Amino acid sequence: MESRAMRDYIRDFSLDSCAHGNQGYSRVLLQLFGFTGHGKSSFINSCKYVVDDEPYVAHAKVAEYKKKPETMIRNAYKLTETITLVDNRGFRIMDKYEFGEIYLQLGNFLPLGREVKWQENFGDMLKLLESERCDQSSDFIVPVLVYSADYPVTDKNYMKDIIMAARDITGVFPTVVFTHELSEHQPKVWESFRQMGVKNSFSLENYTAEDTKKTRGKHETILKCLQEIIKDVEFRMLEERDAIGERIDRKKLLLEYAHKREMEKQKEEMEKPLGKIKKQETEKQEKQEKGDCILL
């Protein structure tokens, strides 16, 4: 009965029924992001399986575990009339350019249904943002970080930077979904994220094409995760909001980020020749001093 009640709550949720109505939002966009191969696509399929209450279907294409990722296109999957899941392209390494691309996806500045290509420089990111004209201010964005418990966190600072950037861009602190909860590393991974300030997190095992047997544990964890996300949306909708203004602020923040990174890159490029010249001068001086020592 508890599972059915949670499922009905998720299915029936409408932005129109919030305290101040929809305030210009037409849907809730759950932005799934994280490393490639950590289970974003599988989580989408699991959510659809649990909420639709129909035979399992692999809506989002899933690569073999720990193999080449399948998601290159930023695809959207409708969960209910109000909630849409977005399978963003995952990142491979903690790279500044990939960070920029992740932020563009989270900010909803890249079109759905198209291939995501990593930017080669921040100048391209600036151009993309400046020329972007698509109005997607009606999307209430909720970031959801999917992280496999099979992978211990090796660099907490970078991961925390991503989490905090996601919060700044969307205005919502990310919910974290730990996949492969039976992994021996799960306790350490959970503790690492707790130290980063993550409070809203869920550990689970995804349903797969090879394992569709329904269990109360899996169902209730997935439903609880979705329910808590919706409750947070309802809480935030208690405030009077400006959907268009928020999108403008997101764009301004990303433009500032891209401009700052481009300036840093140009500075690094300018310092390279200077560093080379300085190195050559140092080597020349060392040779001269060595020659003087020989003469003595």
Side-chain angles (χ1 to χ4, degrees):
M1 179 62 75
E2 186 177 353
S3 294
R4 182 176 296 177
M6 285 192 288
R7 190 182 67 217
D8 290 344
Y9 170 76
I10 294 164
R11 285 177 170 178
D12 296 339
F13 170 70
S14 170
L15 287 164
D16 294 336
S17 61
C18 290
H20 300 287
N22 62 48
Q23 300 195 72
Y25 299 103
S26 62
R27 64 178 175 179
V28 174
L29 217 59
L30 303 191
Q31 292 264 41
L32 274 59
F33 70 106
F35 286 102
T36 58
H38 277 231
K40 295 186 298 297
S41 300
S42 294
F43 181 63
I44 286 173
N45 293 333
S46 296
C47 288
K48 291 283 290 178
Y49 184 45
V50 170
V51 174
D52 291 349
D53 195 27
E54 294 179 353
Y56 180 90
V57 175
H59 297 276
K61 194 173 181 181
V62 180
E64 290 183 40
Y65 184 43
K66 295 186 179 180
K67 299 293 184 180
K68 182 181 177 181
E70 288 287 350
T71 305
M72 297 295 176
I73 297 175
R74 188 170 176 256
N75 285 319
Y77 302 89
K78 190 173 181 179
L79 186 64
T80 71
E81 288 302 313
T82 303
I83 304 166
T84 294
L85 298 157
V86 178
D87 194 2
N88 288 299
R89 181 178 178 181
F91 49 93
R92 300 157 296 177
I93 55 176
M94 299 289 192
D95 176 84
K96 288 182 180 179
Y97 293 119
E98 290 197 0
F99 279 5
E101 199 70 34
I102 295 159
Y103 301 158
L104 284 172
Q105 292 181 84
L106 283 174
N108 214 20
F109 290 104
L110 293 181
L112 293 167
R114 292 187 188 177
E115 184 178 359
V116 176
K117 296 181 179 180
W118 301 127
Q119 302 293 318
E120 295 182 359
N121 57 70
F122 291 106
D124 289 343
M125 185 177 172
L126 277 168
K127 291 176 184 176
L128 189 151
L129 283 165
E130 289 169 350
S131 62
E132 195 271 338
R133 293 289 182 271
C134 183
D135 182 16
Q136 293 174 309
S137 58
S138 61
D139 291 330
F140 190 107
I141 302 172
V142 178
V144 179
L145 173 63
V146 179
Y147 193 94
S148 171
D150 273 343
Y151 295 88
V153 182
T154 55
D155 196 324
K156 294 179 185 178
N157 291 329
Y158 269 117
M159 184 55 69
K160 186 173 181 179
D161 285 346
I162 293 174
I163 290 172
M164 292 305 169
R167 179 203 63 182
D168 294 342
I169 292 166
T170 65
V172 179
F173 202 96
T175 292
V176 178
V177 173
F178 298 117
T179 58
H180 302 104
E181 69 168 332
L182 300 179
S183 170
E184 62 179 319
H185 302 297
Q186 196 278 342
K188 289 184 178 180
V189 170
W190 181 88
E191 177 60 22
S192 293
F193 278 87
R194 187 194 69 79
Q195 292 174 4
M196 295 177 214
V198 172
K199 295 180 180 179
N200 201 20
S201 63
F202 300 86
S203 293
L204 54 85
E205 290 287 334
N206 279 316
Y207 285 107
T208 65
E210 295 73 35
D211 180 16
T212 62
K213 186 174 182 179
K214 295 180 180 179
T215 67
R216 190 179 71 178
K218 285 185 181 181
H219 259 55
E220 289 187 353
T221 302
I222 293 168
L223 290 169
K224 182 69 174 175
C225 175
L226 294 170
Q227 177 182 254
E228 288 302 311
I229 288 172
I230 293 171
K231 284 184 177 180
D232 191 46
V233 171
E234 287 181 316
F235 174 76
R236 294 175 185 283
M237 290 292 284
L238 289 172
E239 303 174 338
E240 292 189 3
R241 306 180 69 96
D242 178 2
I244 296 175
E246 288 173 16
R247 181 170 174 78
I248 292 171
D249 288 342
R250 284 198 298 273
K251 190 169 186 176
K252 188 184 300 183
L253 188 152
L254 288 174
L255 281 167
E256 289 173 354
Y257 169 82
H259 178 72
K260 180 182 177 182
R261 292 302 190 195
E262 184 65 15
M263 292 300 99
E264 289 175 355
K265 181 190 172 187
Q266 289 180 14
K267 184 179 178 182
E268 289 172 2
E269 293 297 322
M270 289 175 65
E271 288 176 348
K272 281 181 182 179
L274 293 174
K276 188 176 180 180
I277 293 170
K278 189 175 181 180
K279 183 180 178 182
Q280 290 172 344
E281 290 177 346
T282 301
E283 290 175 349
K284 184 178 179 180
Q285 184 177 354
E286 287 175 351
K287 287 180 180 178
Q288 289 176 343
E289 291 175 352
K290 187 176 180 181
D292 292 341
C293 290
I294 292 171
L295 289 173
L296 291 172

